[in-house]
Amino acid sequence: MDGERIKVLLVEDDGDSRELLAELLEDDFDVTTAADGVAGLRAFEETHPDVVVTDESLPGMNGTELAQQVKEREPNARVVLVSGYAQVDGAGYCDVVMRKPIDVEGLSKMVCKLGEEAKH
């Protein structure tokens, strides 16, 4: 382990949820945020995160479309899809699908695990 913090991109269109989740994750990870799928893809290309945590229901480009774009650009990047739905079309591009409401401790552990995988 080289001591580098895991870089996380959090894509969530609800401002309050995005800010709260980012604050909680920033204790353990370097967090960048985006408010929609298009901004998320741009942020991914600029910051090259290890893990992308994205909501499914986003304006412009939904979470599974974003996951597909991320995997095409960087197959080692890991994607956590957050959804209120039990079944999500296109979830095969995601490494993990978590149901809302989010268990922040569980999410943090998952991001840590996936981030370590992405770095190797």
Side-chain angles (χ1 to χ4, degrees):
M1 178 79 188
D2 58 11
E4 268 189 47
R5 285 167 54 103
I6 293 168
K7 292 176 12 182
V8 177
L9 171 60
L10 173 63
V11 187
E12 167 62 68
D13 60 321
D14 180 78
D16 291 338
S17 296
R18 184 176 60 249
E19 286 180 31
L20 178 61
L21 202 48
E23 279 183 34
L24 294 169
L25 292 174
E26 282 172 345
D27 285 343
D28 298 311
F29 312 107
D30 287 339
V31 180
T32 302
T33 62
D36 61 54
V38 174
L41 185 58
R42 194 166 43 247
F44 178 82
E45 292 172 337
E46 291 170 1
T47 64
H48 306 284
D50 304 299
V51 181
V52 176
V53 177
T54 181
D55 189 23
E56 168 60 7
S57 301
L58 297 169
M61 176 190 303
N62 67 30
T64 51
E65 292 168 333
L66 175 60
Q68 181 178 358
Q69 294 294 318
V70 163
K71 290 293 190 173
E72 286 175 2
R73 285 162 173 75
E74 179 49 67
N76 286 337
R78 300 298 191 248
V79 180
V80 177
L81 181 73
V82 178
S83 177
Y85 303 105
Q87 293 288 322
V88 181
D89 290 337
Y93 291 102
C94 306
D95 295 284
V96 176
V97 177
M98 297 185 81
R99 293 280 310 272
K100 288 182 179 179
I102 285 296
D103 166 17
V104 176
E105 187 174 322
L107 176 62
S108 183
K109 287 178 182 174
M110 183 59 63
V111 167
C112 188
K113 176 181 178 289
L114 292 173
E116 290 301 318
E117 290 175 6
K119 287 180 172 293
H120 293 96

